[in-house]
Amino acid sequence: MSAGNIPVSGFPLFDLTLCRYSQGFDGGGVWGHRNDMNRLFPLVVAFLCAPLFAQAPSQVAPAAALKVSARAERADATYQVGEKIMFAVSVEEKGKPANGSLIDWVIVKDGLATEQKGFSSVVDGKATVVGSLNEPGFLQLKVTAHRLDARSKPLAVSAMAGAAVEPTKIPRSLPVPDDFDAFWSGMKQKLASVPVEPKLVSVKSPLPGVESFDVTAPALGLQVSGYMAKPSGAKPKSLPIILTVHGAGVSDSSLGGSANWASKGFLAMDMNAHGLPNGKPKQFYADLKVGAMKDYRYEHKNDREKAYFTGMMLRLVRAIDVLTAQPEWDGKHVVVSGASQGGYQAIAAAGIDGRVTFFAAGVPAGCDHSGMLVNRIAGWPKIVPVVDGKPDMAVLEAYRYLDCMNFATRTKAKGAYFTVGFIDATCPPTSVYAAYNQLTIPKEIYDDIPSGHSH
């Protein structure tokens, strides 16, 4: 599916290019499921236009100095294995096409070094760089132009571009563990032994016509903590569920986010990833981020039962327990949506909880933890240490049970929606497609060609 407008059965075109925001370096189809799931699709797409988290601004040279841009020459930036990939580079100096200079460039295989590098001449502000890849995957070009600024100091300006090579053929790096299902069944049984017992505290809603609640519920270890909202006066069995989950970092839940979904006719919960109390001063979360929770993702990384993300995924199940127990749930629809670490959670929820009927994963983390075994880069949290080219096998084995490639094989949802950035260094596109390709349900992916870790 290429960038731009997305035709969806029964709905107008959604121009996702309007949702894009920039950051520094770091197909159309018809849905095959029920019309009532189609009704939810544009609303979930709208969620994916929300900011992921604060990004570093792009490094832009002064307009009077130097400007560089790069892109794959094909509009869809997609090629065949072994085919020449043509990158078009533009260089402007003081607002006019540069001429008679050289650019240096390097091509990487989704962050991994290749032998493809060199220099190219700039003629009338244009240059061409040619690369190739002999396996399904992604290439990124980084090109740099050099000049002296007005004070005769060196000035270097860079640009990046990405290209896909038969991405839907990217294979998994390891098979699903034989006891994958048994492991998660056992963990959910442990969770089920903890009474749900949610605590709902009414809070002032930011929107009229919406009731809002601060919700907590016990789970294994850390509690569930979120804001739940529903339309005022909603009738029993009238509302679909949407659970929105967070990217990496430390924060409280979004009161406004859940209320906004409720205003669109959902029984909604926005849940923070760590069971933290909601509504505290910003400094409370800032202190945790640089203090006690600075390295949360590495906790017990060689133990599949105690690993931090195991608890995070079980909190999703418990949140769905709370939501499906509400009398307003329509008994049919459960949507989970998030980006980055939130995309990781969305895929995991769909893989271990059969109540999930639709999920949306923007630039998802948690994909292809074992990619280094086949000379690929793993996605965030890049959890498996590699020393002298050898991965820590204890961590790798533990995280096979926390890999989106494997969660994706287990979902029975009626549909899924992904986004992927072609120059994403945090959740590399190769890893995202490695997970996406495991889905056997109706699915769509939005190729955000010029973007990094944004959605």
Side-chain angles (χ1 to χ4, degrees):
M1 186 170 180
S2 61
N5 291 326
I6 300 177
V8 182
S9 176
F11 289 96
L13 295 173
F14 294 89
D15 189 356
L16 289 193
T17 60
L18 298 177
C19 303
R20 184 179 301 125
Y21 63 99
S22 64
Q23 60 126 57
F25 298 131
D26 280 36
V30 176
W31 286 84
H33 48 86
R34 294 168 16 180
N35 288 336
D36 49 2
M37 285 310 298
N38 269 338
R39 178 173 61 84
L40 305 181
F41 178 78
L43 296 177
V44 176
V45 171
F47 171 79
L48 290 175
C49 295
L52 183 62
F53 43 73
Q55 301 285 337
S58 298
Q59 296 180 353
V60 180
L66 202 57
K67 182 179 180 180
V68 182
S69 61
R71 62 175 178 81
E73 287 195 330
R74 286 185 185 166
D76 65 359
T78 301
Y79 298 80
Q80 299 298 306
V81 168
E83 188 177 8
K84 288 184 178 180
I85 300 171
M86 312 292 287
F87 291 100
V89 180
S90 297
V91 183
E92 291 184 4
E93 188 173 8
K94 296 181 179 180
K96 296 180 180 180
N99 201 16
S101 60
L102 289 176
I103 54 171
D104 65 80
W105 55 268
V106 60
I107 291 175
V108 297
K109 189 185 83 167
D110 215 358
L112 300 177
T114 73
E115 298 297 321
Q116 302 176 77
K117 56 186 175 181
F119 298 88
S120 295
S121 298
V122 178
V123 179
D124 294 329
K126 305 293 183 184
T128 299
V129 175
V130 180
S132 66
L133 184 62
N134 290 321
E135 62 182 287
F138 283 81
L139 289 181
Q140 290 93 23
L141 166 72
K142 181 177 181 180
V143 59
T144 304
H146 302 269
R147 280 288 186 274
L148 296 178
D149 66 13
R151 295 170 293 179
S152 297
K153 292 185 176 181
L155 174 67
V157 179
S158 298
M160 289 191 72
V165 178
E166 299 190 50
T168 58
K169 295 183 179 180
I170 294 172
R172 53 186 311 114
S173 51
L174 279 179
V176 181
D178 291 340
D179 61 343
F180 182 84
D181 297 322
F183 169 74
W184 281 107
S185 177
M187 295 307 295
K188 288 192 292 182
Q189 286 177 11
K190 290 183 179 181
L191 175 66
S193 69
V194 179
V196 179
E197 297 179 347
K199 182 179 179 181
L200 280 65
V201 178
S202 180
V203 295
K204 181 177 174 58
S205 175
L207 295 177
V210 170
E211 297 178 55
S212 293
F213 305 87
D214 189 341
V215 179
T216 56
L220 284 182
L222 301 177
Q223 66 178 359
V224 167
S225 177
Y227 283 116
M228 189 179 76
K230 58 185 178 181
S232 299
K235 296 180 180 179
K237 297 184 178 180
S238 65
L239 302 177
I241 284 169
I242 186 165
L243 173 63
T244 53
V245 286
H246 290 196
V250 180
S251 67
D252 64 346
S253 309
S254 174
L255 177 62
S258 60
N260 183 58
W261 281 111
S263 73
K264 301 180 188 301
F266 283 86
L267 172 60
M269 181 189 291
D270 184 89
M271 182 177 78
N272 75 68
H274 310 297
L276 297 174
N278 297 310
K280 296 290 187 180
K282 289 184 178 180
Q283 193 61 43
F284 173 84
Y285 307 103
D287 289 344
L288 284 173
K289 184 176 181 180
V290 298
M293 299 200 69
K294 179 181 178 181
D295 295 320
Y296 69 83
R297 59 191 181 275
Y298 301 124
E299 289 184 11
H300 302 291
K301 62 184 179 181
N302 62 350
D303 187 323
R304 63 182 185 176
E305 289 196 21
K306 296 180 181 178
Y308 192 86
F309 290 101
T310 300
M312 185 181 293
M313 303 324 176
L314 290 172
R315 289 192 289 278
L316 300 170
V317 176
R318 180 48 46 96
I320 295 171
D321 289 340
V322 172
L323 288 165
T324 55
Q326 303 306 307
E328 294 85 1
W329 179 44
D330 65 10
K332 295 186 293 184
H333 302 113
V334 176
V335 176
V336 183
S337 185
S340 193
Q341 180 185 263
Y344 189 1
Q345 293 176 79
I347 300 168
I352 63 176
D353 195 320
R355 294 171 292 185
V356 176
T357 55
F358 184 94
F359 63 101
V363 289
C367 299
D368 202 13
H369 294 305
S370 52
M372 73 290 297
L373 296 181
V374 291
N375 193 32
R376 294 201 307 243
I377 192 166
W380 189 93
K382 305 182 190 299
I383 194 72
V384 180
V386 179
V387 179
D388 296 329
K390 297 180 180 179
D392 184 320
M393 292 305 297
V395 179
L396 190 153
E397 284 298 325
Y399 267 78
R400 291 178 68 193
Y401 299 85
L402 288 156
D403 198 313
C404 286
M405 287 192 305
N406 299 329
F407 290 131
T409 66
R410 297 308 195 250
T411 181
K412 299 296 191 294
K414 292 175 169 37
Y417 187 79
F418 279 48
T419 73
V420 60
F422 277 25
I423 57 173
D424 189 344
T426 303
C427 298
T430 301
S431 72
V432 172
Y433 263 97
Y436 177 78
N437 292 343
Q438 305 309 310
L439 294 171
T440 58
I441 61 174
K443 60 184 180 180
E444 294 279 0
I445 189 166
Y446 176 69
D447 290 334
D448 201 351
I449 296 167
S451 291
H453 198 51
S454 60
H455 68 103

